[in-house]
Amino acid sequence: MCTTYIKICNNQPLMSLLFDSLRGLLYPLYLVITIYSVVQYRIWNLVDRIIEHFGSDNVKRVEQLIPNMKLPKHIAFLVGDIGCDIDDFSDKLSQIVFWCISCHINSISIYDCEGKFESNIDAIQEKLVQNCNHSLFTEKPQHSLVVKISTPCHKNTKTIHVNKKMEPNESGDVELAFLSHFSLGKPNIAQLASRIIQRYDGSNKSEDQIKEMVSEQVTVFRHEMFSEPNLMILIAPIKALYGFSPLHLRYVEISHVKKSLKSFSNQDFAKCLLQYAGCQQRFGQ
Amino acid sequence: MFIISWIYKKIVTIIHTIILYSLRFGPIPQHIAIIMDGNRRWAEKHHLDKKDGHASGYIKIEETLDWCEKLGVKAITVFAFSIDNFKRTESEVDALMKLAEDKFVNMLVKNSSLLDKHNCAVKVLGKWELLPDFVRNAATKVIEYSGKYNNMYMNFCFPYTATEEITQSIQKVVLHRINTNHDSETHEKTSILKDLEDNMYTKHCPPLDLVIRTSGERRLSDFLTWQSTSSAVFSFEQVLWPDFSLWNLFSDVLNYQRSYPEIKKYREQMKKLTERTERIEMSESTH
């Protein structure tokens, strides 16, 4: 009887048949598991919000730690679901830019897959000038700063002057880029391949020489077109990359904030910076 | 004692199987990728040698393959060795290569092999030229042996980086188009984007659905970035890879199922963007 039982347990097709016939019993179990999971998720969300409300102030922690804290040189914000109108998102984006500037982060990229930010640069620029006194910390900025706004797709660079208190050795320029799937995603890589094919002059290059040429062009594309961010803050309902450039994701630290752009707060931003400060990069070693 | 332990193991297996089969009522990710991070830290934590950590990591791969097969997953891709990992000490790299050879050879043992049990085809993805001959030979034999199976795919990325994968895809597309002398009739039929997609290492697999990284790190480390950017969602687990359990996989799949309406909306959005790109490219090429 034992031998028979062992044979049954090791017989995979028979086990599949057994479980298929028990589907009627398994379905209620599945419902219980999913309901429990949803309830648990909502409870944990509520607990997180309570902790956020009554817990430690992430912004104050960042303010205290900032002189010695590991900070990203280049930060990217990937917005999955904009979910608000031009006025609201321009306002929020301008706040985010000044939070970054407060933390001495001078290279900022903001990505949305459909390109709504790229096509509303004027509105965002207006809000940047209006909100120029905004800061992550209590101390208000005083001196002027140059913000260079660019979009790779339209090769459009605008410069605006804003107010910020400058540190003695600090460069005055902040680079702000607006990106989309079409200006920095797979379509760009397809265009790179197309350009290589079009530029091929028909000379008798060997296969190895052509491969070498392609490798060089890919390296140029990776470094010169856009530099890989150190930290990416994903403001989206799910942890996904929304078509971001696959050649600029090698060692990017990803922080996910499951909120809409409108409700993304300075506390969320500070929390992401604290997470980045605690991460260790080994680069394969 | 042996009988009690045997009964306990069988009961646990049956409970695990029930849990996994019950998850099948919801949407199951068809292709799961795993960054198996934490083997060395696990070995350090247990006062073992690094190679023991990697060996424990392989045992976990076998368990995970078993769980995924019961779940109905069609492809698993694991990040076994990065091209950047060649920067590690010579002794560690040699130990990893030896471990790989041993495991590939074990897969060829008939009737008790992992592959026969799960009807699983193995693929080894990456820049093969960097591997020593003995590993390449063992990998070739495993791929040939398992080619007859089509229930599921087990992909070992070894040695691999996404940058190298994308570069080799561009190289193939460029060479093909140059060699066919820009034959406009042929190339009107497919866009470059589609050709690039068809030259990726994972073209034999369903689109990537879920990427799991263990050990608490929150980055891709140059793994399947092309595949991840348009369809996958991520799960970053705190646990070290050798400690990864069925309950971790269970919670990842359950989170996937709970977020499925948003995932579906995201994929439709990405599909429309890809179609738009292909249309623009095809209309530019006809002009």
Side-chain angles (χ1 to χ4, degrees):
Chain A
M1 195 172 150
C2 259
T3 326
T4 315
Y5 180 67
I6 291 166
K7 277 187 186 164
I8 289 169
C9 285
N10 286 336
N11 188 338
Q12 290 292 340
L14 188 60
M15 288 300 279
S16 300
L17 198 62
L18 189 67
F19 283 109
D20 281 340
S21 60
L22 290 173
R23 278 174 82 85
L25 291 172
L26 288 177
Y27 189 65
L29 173 64
Y30 177 69
L31 281 179
V32 166
I33 290 168
T34 42
I35 291 168
Y36 171 75
S37 141
V38 168
V39 166
Q40 191 194 38
Y41 174 74
R42 294 218 188 274
I43 290 172
W44 276 116
N45 255 0
L46 190 62
V47 165
D48 275 342
R49 277 190 208 160
I50 293 169
I51 290 172
E52 211 176 285
H53 193 71
F54 294 108
S56 63
D57 186 341
N58 289 324
V59 170
K60 273 211 174 101
R61 278 185 69 201
V62 167
E63 196 169 10
Q64 284 159 6
L65 294 170
I66 208 163
N68 301 314
M69 203 170 134
K70 181 174 102 173
L71 287 167
K73 289 192 180 72
H74 176 188
I75 193 169
F77 292 87
L78 192 157
V79 181
D81 183 13
I82 297 173
C84 49
D85 61 22
I86 298 173
D87 212 41
D88 285 339
F89 76 60
S90 306
D91 201 38
K92 181 55 71 176
L93 290 180
S94 64
Q95 285 177 24
I96 287 172
V97 166
F98 288 108
W99 294 342
C100 293
I101 294 173
S102 316
C103 298
H104 315 304
I105 298 169
N106 287 1
S107 185
I108 307 159
S109 303
I110 304 182
Y111 173 98
D112 79 292
C113 64
E114 295 195 0
K116 284 186 186 162
F117 299 152
E118 268 183 345
S119 44
N120 288 290
I121 275 202
D122 291 332
I124 297 170
Q125 186 183 332
E126 218 176 280
K127 286 290 178 185
L128 277 168
V129 174
Q130 270 178 31
N131 291 335
C132 61
N133 286 319
H134 214 86
S135 172
L136 184 63
F137 310 121
T138 46
E139 197 180 322
K140 296 293 175 198
Q142 288 169 16
H143 301 276
S144 62
L145 185 72
V146 172
V147 178
K148 288 182 186 167
I149 309 168
S150 67
T151 58
C153 190
H154 301 109
K155 308 247 181 277
N156 186 8
T157 308
K158 296 183 185 204
T159 307
I160 59 169
H161 293 264
V162 295
N163 296 324
K164 181 193 172 287
K165 185 177 179 184
M166 304 270 286
E167 294 300 324
N169 297 321
E170 199 176 282
S171 159
D173 289 353
V174 172
E175 288 178 4
L176 173 61
F178 290 95
L179 311 159
S180 70
H181 179 65
F182 296 100
S183 60
L184 194 82
K186 287 182 186 177
N188 241 255
I189 297 173
Q191 280 170 19
L192 169 68
S194 175
R195 279 198 302 274
I196 296 172
I197 296 164
Q198 282 166 11
R199 279 182 201 165
Y200 180 68
D201 57 7
S203 56
N204 283 331
K205 283 197 173 123
S206 67
E207 204 172 281
D208 286 340
Q209 282 174 321
I210 294 173
K211 281 183 178 178
E212 183 69 39
M213 180 179 71
V214 169
S215 292
E216 279 167 15
Q217 290 296 315
V218 169
T219 308
V220 165
F221 177 87
R222 278 188 47 229
H223 295 296
E224 289 187 11
M225 194 191 162
F226 175 74
S227 65
E228 183 174 295
N230 304 114
L231 170 64
M232 178 187 285
I233 297 179
L234 216 58
I235 305 169
I238 51 172
K239 254 181 242 171
L241 292 169
Y242 291 85
F244 195 83
S245 169
L247 283 172
H248 295 93
L249 283 168
R250 290 179 70 197
Y251 296 113
V252 180
E253 196 69 18
I254 300 171
S255 258
H256 178 227
V257 177
K258 192 173 177 171
K259 283 184 175 178
S260 65
L261 180 61
K262 208 170 168 184
S263 33
F264 180 72
S265 68
N266 54 357
Q267 292 290 336
D268 298 318
F269 176 66
K271 190 176 171 187
C272 295
L273 288 184
L274 287 167
Q275 274 175 359
Y276 177 79
C279 77
Q280 280 181 349
Q281 290 267 17
R282 288 176 295 280
F283 302 103
Q285 286 174 330
Chain B
M1 271 305 289
F2 170 75
I3 293 170
I4 293 169
S5 154
W6 181 86
I7 291 170
Y8 173 75
K9 274 187 189 164
K10 283 299 169 192
I11 291 169
V12 165
T13 307
I14 289 171
I15 292 172
H16 284 178
T17 311
I18 289 171
I19 299 282
L20 289 169
Y21 270 81
S22 67
L23 276 181
R24 280 187 171 197
F25 285 107
I28 294 291
Q30 292 297 289
H31 183 177
I32 295 180
I34 305 175
I35 302 174
M36 308 177 295
D37 200 10
N39 290 335
R40 293 184 298 172
R41 276 171 276 173
W42 183 90
E44 208 179 297
K45 191 173 149 190
H46 291 85
H47 310 291
L48 296 168
D49 204 32
K50 283 179 191 165
K51 63 174 170 36
D52 298 320
H54 293 303
S56 301
Y58 180 78
I59 294 169
K60 193 54 61 181
I61 294 176
E62 290 184 347
E63 286 179 25
T64 309
L65 178 62
D66 187 48
W67 300 330
C68 288
E69 200 242 340
K70 288 181 176 133
L71 262 179
V73 174
K74 290 296 167 198
I76 307 171
T77 303
V78 295
F79 199 5
F81 192 86
S82 167
I83 293 173
D84 293 335
N85 290 154
F86 280 111
K87 292 177 202 165
R88 293 183 181 179
T89 59
E90 205 178 315
S91 56
E92 192 181 342
V93 172
D94 290 344
L96 281 163
M97 293 297 151
K98 191 77 189 63
L99 177 71
E101 191 213 6
D102 286 343
K103 296 307 173 191
F104 286 144
V105 164
N106 279 347
M107 286 180 198
L108 295 169
V109 174
K110 286 190 167 64
N111 298 327
S112 58
S113 155
L114 184 75
L115 310 179
D116 299 315
K117 194 179 158 197
H118 300 295
N119 289 348
C120 175
V122 163
K123 299 279 182 193
V124 177
L125 313 178
K127 197 168 181 181
W128 278 48
E129 303 92 76
L130 298 174
L131 291 173
D133 289 340
F134 63 89
V135 178
R136 249 184 287 163
N137 293 339
T140 308
K141 285 180 186 160
V142 170
I143 292 168
E144 280 169 6
Y145 173 77
S146 64
K148 60 193 180 211
Y149 295 129
N150 59 4
N151 180 40
M152 63 188 301
Y153 288 103
M154 179 80 214
N155 301 317
F156 290 92
C157 287
F158 190 94
Y160 171 93
T161 55
T163 307
E164 191 275 327
E165 183 187 16
I166 297 168
T167 307
Q168 65 83 39
S169 176
I170 298 173
Q171 285 167 344
K172 283 184 180 160
V173 168
V174 165
L175 279 168
H176 177 73
R177 292 204 174 203
I178 284 172
N179 289 336
T180 51
N181 291 323
H182 311 273
D183 182 346
S184 60
E185 280 186 25
T186 315
H187 295 305
E188 266 172 23
K189 292 174 191 163
T190 56
S191 66
I192 291 181
L193 193 62
K194 176 87 178 44
D195 286 347
L196 288 173
E197 199 72 56
D198 290 342
N199 280 292
M200 290 293 156
Y201 292 144
T202 54
K203 62 181 179 289
H204 55 282
C205 297
L208 186 59
D209 288 318
L210 176 63
V211 179
I212 299 172
R213 181 169 185 151
T214 53
S215 88
E217 306 294 352
R218 291 185 172 88
R219 50 187 178 264
L220 290 178
S221 296
D222 216 1
F223 177 58
L224 296 183
T225 52
W226 179 277
Q227 295 83 343
S228 307
T229 55
S230 42
S231 59
V233 290
F234 299 90
S235 178
F236 299 118
E237 291 276 354
Q238 287 297 322
V239 71
L240 300 173
W241 173 243
D243 290 330
F244 185 76
S245 72
L246 172 71
W247 302 109
N248 297 117
L249 180 65
F250 176 77
S251 92
D252 291 335
V253 173
L254 208 52
N255 284 337
Y256 175 86
Q257 291 181 344
R258 201 180 45 237
S259 314
Y260 195 69
E262 279 134 358
I263 293 172
K264 212 171 152 186
K265 194 174 143 191
Y266 155 66
R267 286 183 186 156
E268 275 162 16
Q269 186 185 19
M270 294 314 305
K271 194 177 165 191
K272 281 184 189 155
L273 288 174
T274 306
E275 283 167 3
R276 193 172 136 197
T277 308
E278 285 177 0
R279 271 201 309 274
I280 293 171
E281 195 196 320
M282 298 310 282
S283 69
E284 277 173 6
S285 67
T286 49
H287 292 126

